[in-house]
Amino acid sequence: MIFREDLLQGQVALVTGGGTGIGFVISRELARHGADVAITSRNPEHHTQIVQEVEALGRRALAIQADVRDPEQTQRVAERVREELGRIDILVNNAAGNFLCAAEQLSPNGWRAVVEIVLHGTFFMSKAVLPAMKEQGGGAIVNIGANYAWLAAPYVSHSGAAKAGVLNLTRTLAVEWAPYNIRVNAVTPGPIADTEGVRRLMSDPKTHKAVLDTVPLKRLGKREEIAWAVLFLVSPAAAYITGHNLVVDGGMWFNHRMFRPEV
Ligand code: NAP
């Protein structure tokens, strides 16, 4: 354990897309450090395992089927978390969609789907938890970004633009909601092992090497390393940090030899 086991004792966290990949590990680590955890995503098949893991850690778990693109559904999610777990202290906006496609070929629906999940979803879910956090006298929101949003993002123009929007939203909400004692920060991953996207992208050894060549630390990140950055930002250690973007990518974003996937 890197942090104290009771770091988040008595708190309730909500993680969008908390049933798979990085969100799964964020949810498990929040529970391991004392939080009760709610997750939301569209596919109930993604809910069973995380609920079991959280309950096995002795914490309360709640999984809610919802689509973050729909503000009525995000509203309902926040209401159910409050009804069933009593409060909302932490929100992690982690849900995302992505696929490789040259901008020239990208359809309006493809563009819309990704921007709506990432950017609209982050805004709708954040607004939905606002009343609870205001009434409780504070809270912590962490938005998950992506390091290609800092540079150009060839073949993920939809995701790059949406994630860049999320970074600006992080800073703006940090300022607007500071009077409510709500801190809003971002964690920006580079390529992370044991995730579907990286598995797809790096199945070919040539691509694997080409990506690692752009990472100064010469390895992929671990899902836990993203979760630990989230834990830090929601913990009292970060009580004076808001509007910050914590980049967790092995130094990749300093590297201007941009990796261009083959599509
Ligand atoms: P992932 O496993 O595909 O997770 C995405 C999650 O979002 C899924 O659980 C999915 O669940 C949920 N989701 C998708 N659309 C949704 C919607 N409309 N409403 C509600 N939930 C929705 O991806 P990941 O690799 O773990 O990525 C997690 C986060 O890290 C994302 O924000 C991603 O952009 C970021 N990131 C990842 C990497 C990487 O190397 N993997 C790099 C940079 C940034 P359902 O299908 O059940 O809805």
Side-chain angles (χ1 to χ4, degrees):
M1 294 283 270
I2 289 181
F3 299 94
R4 266 176 39 185
E5 234 174 75
D6 62 351
L7 185 73
L8 304 173
Q9 200 71 40
Q11 297 197 33
V12 173
L14 167 61
V15 182
T16 68
T20 66
I22 294 169
F24 181 96
V25 174
I26 292 172
S27 303
R28 193 183 61 198
E29 289 301 305
L30 289 166
R32 204 194 291 284
H33 290 82
D36 293 328
V37 176
I39 71 117
T40 184
S41 83
R42 296 160 305 174
N43 184 351
E45 283 174 20
H46 293 153
H47 297 176
T48 319
Q49 202 188 340
I50 190 60
V51 166
Q52 284 169 359
E53 293 255 356
V54 169
E55 288 177 346
L57 287 161
R59 309 311 321 170
R60 291 183 297 165
L62 175 64
I64 305 167
Q65 186 179 10
D67 187 327
V68 295
R69 288 174 288 189
D70 177 351
E72 282 176 17
Q73 293 188 40
T74 53
Q75 188 70 38
R76 189 171 49 77
V77 169
E79 283 163 10
R80 267 199 65 196
V81 176
R82 273 183 108 178
E83 278 161 23
E84 295 189 34
L85 300 181
R87 49 192 295 121
I88 309 174
D89 301 280
I90 296 165
L91 166 66
V92 183
N93 282 307
N94 162 84
N98 200 5
F99 55 93
L100 291 177
C101 184
E104 195 175 349
Q105 263 84 50
L106 186 59
S107 70
N109 278 345
W111 168 268
R112 208 175 280 125
V114 171
V115 174
E116 286 186 358
I117 299 169
V118 172
L119 184 55
H120 299 195
T122 297
F123 182 68
F124 295 152
M125 200 66 251
S126 301
K127 271 207 77 176
V129 302
L130 180 62
M133 289 186 175
K134 269 177 80 173
E135 278 174 42
Q136 289 160 205
I141 298 176
V142 178
N143 299 325
I144 305 300
N147 69 351
Y148 47 78
W150 286 78
L151 306 163
Y155 310 118
V156 286
S157 56
H158 40 14
S159 171
K163 293 286 191 183
V166 165
L167 281 182
N168 186 270
L169 184 64
T170 300
R171 295 177 185 132
T172 301
L173 295 186
V175 172
E176 286 198 21
W177 294 355
Y180 308 131
N181 192 31
I182 298 170
R183 297 183 300 104
V184 188
N185 290 292
V187 168
T188 282
I192 304 300
D194 299 321
T195 62
E196 193 45 44
V198 163
R199 212 171 283 128
R200 260 186 276 134
L201 177 68
M202 297 182 50
S203 53
D204 140 54
K206 218 175 83 199
T207 311
H208 192 100
K209 183 176 178 311
V211 172
L212 290 193
D213 280 348
T214 66
V215 183
L217 284 179
K218 294 290 172 234
R219 66 171 176 85
L220 295 175
K222 298 178 190 152
R223 293 180 298 173
E224 285 76 6
E225 289 167 333
I226 302 304
W228 297 333
V230 171
L231 280 177
F232 165 69
L233 285 172
V234 303
S235 80
Y240 201 48
I241 301 178
T242 196
H244 186 68
N245 177 30
L246 183 48
V247 182
V248 185
D249 74 344
M252 187 183 184
W253 74 285
F254 291 119
N255 196 329
H256 295 278
R257 270 186 310 131
M258 196 183 303
F259 169 69
R260 291 171 75 97
E262 282 170 32
V263 292

